């Protein structure tokens, strides 16, 4: 007998950050320091008593929009077979077709989509990666949260020591300071501190123009970086392609794009060596799998952005050895932790995503909607 979706709970949750975060976008005046992250959680229940949990998020703005859109389209899932995920994704997109197939609308759908995949893996009694078909039981990980530009270099070095001691495999620090000389001095200090063998990446957060990116990229070659991330505007595929051809260091981008179609432009132009999709931003796991197939065909490395609780599963199921970005910001939201050992994130044996929402998450809920049968 076919199971049916009986109820959905949507929660808008505001996660406060311990300190205001600044990257190059703040130093160039384009954004304010980030003090919180807005999350949209979806909890989907079925007539047989199964439940799946998914989430999406927004930084600085957009959280209320995601919640509002999800509340409008989620009723279309009531009574549906939760196994038909691809069909349901299309149904939800058409339910809100007038607002398009990227941005806040599909990011709202992402929370529902992730919850459906979590539910499906739980029904099978498998971790999500195993349901998808894992290539590995652990994934290389690198830390970002200790390398922001608002911190003095002494603190960045202390953060690097702590990250590596915890078992994390690589480090990424922010660049894009108004003075390239300051960027180079910070990168040099970190490289000397961690040694030549530890993987090191930098992230300019789209704040360079093409000449600056070219000059900075050449100057950074000596540090043996794994990649230079977002050296240019996220939508400048031609500029990224020219940079990728001219530098030995790999070019990475993609986190700010909000659809498979936008990522396809990077792939079509051969603009990046490393693609950095974000499943919640591009519409969820269903869309991520489509993009992963395109990236695999192009022989690209994947390094999914943020949301490691989702991306460790998707990276484990990618044919080419990927990277996953480690952020401890989300720890208070979940009761479980991913194991970090020998430079890698290790999959748990728990079914689905392997996470449950903490009581603190309930306390940070600012809006909630129950659709269908209440929780």
């Amino acid at each position: 007998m076919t199971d049916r979706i009986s109820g959905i709970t949507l929660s808008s949750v505001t996660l406060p950050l311990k300190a205001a975060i600044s990257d190059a976008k703040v130093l160039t005046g384009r954004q304010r320091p980030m003090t919180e992250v807005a999350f949209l959680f979806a909890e989907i229940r079925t007539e047989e008593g199964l439940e799946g949990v998914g989430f999406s998020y927004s930084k600085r703005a957009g959280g209320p929009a995601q919640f509002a859109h999800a509340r409008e389209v989620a009723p279309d899932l009531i009574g549906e077979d939760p196994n038909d995920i691809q069909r349901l994704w299309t149904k939800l997109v058409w339910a809100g077709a007038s607002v398009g197939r990227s941005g806040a609308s599909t990011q709202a759908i992402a929370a529902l989509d992730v919850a459906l995949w979590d539910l499906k893996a739980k029904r099978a009694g498998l971790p999500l990666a195993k349901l998808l078909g894992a290539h590995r039981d652990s994934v290389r990980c690198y830390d970002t949260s200790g390398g922001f530009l608002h911190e003095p270099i002494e603190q960045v070095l202390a953060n690097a020591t702590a990250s590596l001691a915890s078992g994390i495999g690589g480090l990424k620090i922010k660049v894009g300071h108004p003075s390239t000389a300051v960027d180079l001095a910070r990168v040099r200090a970190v490289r000397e501190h961690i040694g030549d063998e530890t993987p090191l990446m930098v992230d300019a957060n789209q704040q360079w123009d093409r000449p600056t990116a070219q000059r900075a990229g050449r100057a950074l070659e000596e540090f043996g970086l794994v990649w230079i991330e977002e050296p240019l505007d996220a939508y400048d595929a031609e500029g990224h392609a020219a940079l990728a051809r001219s530098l030995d260091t790999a070019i990475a981008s993609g986190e700010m794009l909000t659809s498979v179609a936008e990522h396809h432009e990077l792939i079509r132009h051969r603009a990046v060596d490393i693609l950095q999709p974000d499943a919640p931003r591009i519409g969820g796991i269903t869309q991520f799998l489509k993009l992963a197939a395109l990236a695999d065909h192009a022989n690209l490395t994947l390094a999914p952005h943020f949301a490691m609780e989702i991306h460790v599963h998707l990276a484990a199921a990618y044919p080419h050895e990927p990277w996953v970005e480690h952020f401890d910001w989300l720890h208070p939201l979940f009761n479980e932790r991913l194991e970090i050992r020998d430079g890698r994130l290790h999959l748990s044996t728990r079914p689905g995503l392997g996470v449950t929402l903490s009581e603190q998450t309930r306390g940070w809920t600012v809006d909630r909607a129950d659709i269908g049968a209440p929780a």
Side-chain angles (χ1 to χ4, degrees):
M1 182 177 178
T2 301
D3 197 7
R4 300 291 177 184
I5 296 172
S6 60
I8 302 168
T9 297
L10 301 173
S11 302
S12 179
V13 175
T14 300
L15 169 70
L17 300 179
K18 293 179 180 178
I21 302 298
S22 295
D23 57 25
K25 297 186 294 294
V26 174
L27 297 190
T28 56
R30 290 183 170 178
Q31 290 184 337
R32 298 186 301 274
M34 183 166 54
T35 59
E36 60 188 29
V37 181
F39 283 84
L40 169 63
F41 284 96
E43 298 166 84
I44 297 179
R45 297 174 297 281
T46 75
E47 293 173 350
E48 292 183 1
L50 295 175
E51 181 174 287
V53 178
F55 66 90
S56 187
Y57 72 95
S58 183
K59 298 177 180 178
R60 293 186 174 88
Q66 289 183 21
F67 178 78
H69 188 76
R71 185 171 53 191
E72 285 191 294
V73 302
D76 282 25
L77 293 179
I78 299 300
E80 288 281 8
D81 184 340
N83 293 297
D84 300 338
I85 302 177
Q86 288 84 348
R87 179 179 64 81
L88 296 179
W89 192 93
T90 302
K91 182 178 185 180
L92 292 173
V93 165
W94 279 104
S98 64
V99 291
R101 301 185 184 185
S102 65
S105 60
T106 44
Q107 289 167 14
I109 292 171
L112 297 161
D113 181 83
V114 172
L116 288 170
W117 280 102
D118 181 52
L119 192 157
K120 191 168 190 173
K122 287 174 178 173
R123 182 188 297 278
L126 295 171
L128 177 61
K130 296 295 185 181
L131 179 74
L132 298 174
H135 287 267
R136 56 195 66 83
D137 293 326
S138 65
V139 182
R140 293 182 295 184
C141 66
Y142 68 96
D143 189 49
T144 293
S145 51
F148 280 86
L149 289 176
H150 67 278
E151 293 187 315
I153 188 60
E154 293 78 13
Q155 185 62 52
V156 172
L157 298 181
N159 295 341
T161 298
S163 293
L164 296 176
S166 74
I168 290 172
L171 300 170
K172 186 175 76 179
I173 68 167
K174 300 293 186 173
V175 292
H177 192 279
S179 168
T180 303
V182 171
D183 281 337
L184 293 174
R186 285 169 69 91
V187 175
R188 186 180 303 280
V190 173
R191 174 51 84 199
E192 291 176 352
H193 183 71
I194 65 176
D196 293 337
E197 300 304 314
T198 301
L200 177 63
M201 305 83 162
V202 301
D203 183 359
N205 288 110
Q206 307 179 73
Q207 297 310 292
W208 289 332
D209 57 23
R210 291 188 184 186
T212 302
Q214 187 69 59
R215 288 193 294 268
R218 287 173 178 162
L220 289 166
E221 296 274 30
E222 68 170 289
F223 300 112
L225 302 176
V226 179
W227 70 66
I228 300 171
E229 184 171 331
E230 287 194 324
L232 301 169
D233 184 273
Y235 292 89
D236 185 4
E238 291 183 357
H240 277 93
L243 200 61
R245 288 193 298 268
S246 65
L247 298 177
D248 291 336
T249 307
I251 299 299
S253 191
E255 70 176 68
M256 296 304 297
L257 304 183
T258 61
S259 69
V260 174
E262 292 169 359
H263 280 273
H264 185 256
E265 282 298 287
L266 294 182
I267 297 172
R268 184 171 68 86
H269 282 88
R270 303 299 300 181
V272 294
D273 306 288
I274 298 166
L275 199 63
Q276 298 181 298
D278 184 317
R281 282 184 174 166
I282 65 172
I285 292 170
T286 297
Q287 295 302 97
F288 190 100
L289 296 176
K290 293 179 182 178
L291 180 56
L294 295 174
D296 178 28
H297 182 69
N299 291 307
L300 296 177
T301 296
L302 278 190
H305 168 256
F306 204 60
M308 65 182 181
E309 292 79 7
I310 298 172
H311 289 135
V312 67
H313 293 276
L314 303 181
Y318 188 64
H320 310 284
E321 180 74 20
W323 285 90
V324 167
E325 186 172 30
H326 178 274
F327 267 95
D328 59 11
W329 296 358
L330 277 61
H331 280 173
L333 298 174
F334 305 111
N335 294 314
E336 299 79 12
R337 298 286 180 272
L338 290 168
E339 181 187 0
I340 306 169
R341 179 167 36 85
D342 300 326
R344 304 177 73 87
L345 286 173
H346 292 257
L347 291 172
S348 77
T349 58
R350 298 184 294 271
L353 293 178
V355 296
T356 56
L357 302 187
S358 69
E359 286 303 312
Q360 181 64 77
T361 300
R362 308 295 183 189
W364 285 328
T365 298
V366 295
D367 207 347
R368 173 182 164 124
D370 288 307
I371 298 160

